[in-house]
Amino acid sequence: MVGIILASHGEFAEGILQSATMIVGEQDNIAAVTLLPSEGPDDIRQKIEEAATSFETKEVLVLADLWGGTPFNQANTLFDQNQEQWAIVAGLNLPMLIEAITSRFTMEKSHDIAKAIVSVAKENIKVKPESLYEEPKAVQANNGPRQSLPAGTVVGSGKIDIGLARVDSRLLHGQVATAWSKDVKPTRIIVVSDEVAKDELRKSLITQAAPPGVKANVIPIDKMIEIWNDPRFGKTRALLLFENPTDVLRVVEGGVGLEEINIGSMAHSEGKVMVNNVLSVNKKDVDALTALRDKGLTFDVRKVPSDQKKNLWDLLKKANFNSK
């Protein structure tokens, strides 16, 4: 019997599994894994791996809550190693899950079940009054001309428009692809990192996680500085993503005109101190943040646009870090 892993932000996976068992009864070879606010990508990846190895089969179907979210992205890294026996479907809902469970009685391959449940999931999205329903329209990206422009060509204002610069150790994931993209309305999401730019797997996962109509790129720090000084990017509205404050400081020291930094999440690791449930820092982080403040930058500590802004320096004081 195909094993099913439900992967979600928060406790959604556990809740929807409980709902399904009320309808179809208790099930074997099925597991719910959750990404909690205090956890990072490695934690959910480990949970997915442990769930898969607990099954009595190598055929695995992952049902993730959100395309491009951290649970989906981490499942995707494992999928690359098991493409013949794994399948992933995003957009988890109850009809999809029930269909997946019942399909296991007649289908032995994860790919077959994945193919069968997508239409069921879509067909069960309905609205009252029915006049409100519209068939979804294809979204076409509008990222400017595809042909290279000669060096020195001035487009628009001649300066890239940075709608948001965010520090987030998870980089491009659900909160960015949905909430922040809708708020900022970028034409391009740019991950700025020397380390990620050298990692072909991570680059591929990030470009796949981009929301419809927005192109995602991964570039090294020096390339970001070059783009800032290139007038051909004058019509680009960008959402910049950094893994850590040190990379932001290097970009600013290179001349990129950032004014405010959104601090979204900084994962916990050895040697770091938790300052709230999603932010962990060490001395190197604090030194970089202090240097950025001394250069006149301000900070916006929020996971999503609807959150209330928090004062970064109050958080650091609570963690007994001494900022000048």
Side-chain angles (χ1 to χ4, degrees):
M1 182 178 287
V2 174
I4 298 176
I5 299 175
L6 312 179
S8 74
H9 298 79
E11 298 176 352
F12 172 59
E14 294 175 348
I16 198 170
L17 177 57
Q18 182 184 61
S19 298
T21 56
M22 290 177 64
I23 298 170
V24 297
E26 295 292 333
Q27 299 292 315
D28 295 325
N29 271 18
I30 188 166
V33 300
T34 59
L35 175 66
L36 301 178
S38 60
E39 295 177 329
D42 290 342
D43 297 299
I44 190 70
R45 178 189 171 101
Q46 182 178 349
K47 292 178 184 180
I48 295 171
E49 287 183 296
E50 290 174 351
T53 55
S54 73
F55 296 152
E56 300 172 354
T57 176
K58 293 189 179 298
E59 288 286 334
V60 175
L61 173 64
V62 180
L63 303 182
D65 58 350
L66 185 67
W67 180 278
T70 300
F72 171 87
N73 289 342
Q74 293 306 306
N76 203 10
T77 65
L78 298 171
F79 168 78
D80 286 339
Q81 306 164 20
N82 304 276
Q83 293 189 25
E84 296 299 319
Q85 295 171 307
W86 280 46
I88 308 174
V89 181
L92 172 61
N93 62 25
L94 189 55
M96 173 197 293
L97 176 54
I98 293 172
E99 184 70 16
I101 291 172
T102 56
S103 293
R104 296 192 299 175
F105 297 111
T106 57
M107 299 180 184
E108 299 180 351
K109 299 292 184 181
S110 63
H111 289 195
D112 294 337
I113 296 177
K115 184 176 180 180
I117 65 177
V118 172
S119 60
V120 173
K122 291 180 178 179
E123 289 168 1
N124 277 275
I125 299 174
K126 302 181 183 296
V127 64
K128 284 287 187 178
E130 295 178 357
S131 59
L132 299 178
Y133 181 78
E134 293 183 359
E135 291 289 342
K137 298 177 181 178
V139 179
Q140 296 181 347
N142 182 17
N143 293 312
R146 297 187 180 276
Q147 293 183 344
S148 297
L149 296 173
T153 303
V154 178
V155 175
S157 67
K159 187 66 68 176
I160 188 171
D161 176 18
I162 298 175
L164 180 75
R166 176 179 172 92
V167 173
D168 191 328
S169 56
R170 291 184 289 168
L171 296 174
L172 180 51
H173 58 96
Q175 291 172 347
V176 176
T178 55
W180 282 109
S181 289
K182 289 181 179 178
D183 186 70
V184 176
K185 296 179 175 59
T187 59
R188 194 175 295 262
I189 295 173
I190 304 175
V191 171
V192 185
S193 168
D194 289 346
E195 293 301 316
V196 182
K198 295 184 292 187
D199 189 329
E200 291 301 322
L201 175 58
R202 292 185 71 186
K203 285 172 63 176
S204 175
L205 292 173
I206 286 169
T207 56
Q208 292 178 38
V214 182
K215 188 172 183 179
N217 299 97
V218 180
I219 61 175
I221 291 170
D222 287 345
K223 185 66 175 178
M224 182 63 228
I225 296 170
E226 178 185 331
I227 288 174
W228 175 253
N229 294 301
D230 192 329
R232 290 174 293 183
F233 289 86
K235 283 191 175 181
T236 300
R237 180 167 173 81
L239 192 163
L240 305 185
L241 296 173
F242 300 86
E243 282 191 291
N244 56 68
T246 303
D247 286 352
V248 180
L249 180 60
R250 287 181 57 195
V251 163
V252 171
E253 289 177 339
V256 178
L258 302 182
E259 297 178 356
E260 183 176 71
I261 307 297
N262 168 241
I263 308 293
S265 70
M266 295 170 62
H268 184 68
S269 60
E270 185 176 354
K272 290 199 171 191
V273 175
M274 296 284 294
V275 298
N276 67 9
N277 63 344
V278 294
L279 297 182
S280 297
V281 295
N282 56 21
K283 186 177 185 303
K284 184 178 181 180
D285 295 326
V286 176
D287 288 346
L289 291 167
T290 303
L292 288 166
R293 183 188 65 179
D294 292 345
K295 290 180 179 296
L297 277 76
T298 58
F299 300 90
D300 166 18
V301 183
R302 284 185 295 169
K303 290 189 296 182
V304 293
S306 59
D307 285 348
Q308 184 176 1
K309 293 184 180 182
K310 296 182 177 63
N311 186 291
L312 175 64
W313 307 106
D314 287 345
L315 293 173
L316 296 181
K317 287 177 183 177
K318 291 178 183 178
N320 296 320
F321 278 109
N322 182 25
S323 59
K324 297 179 181 179

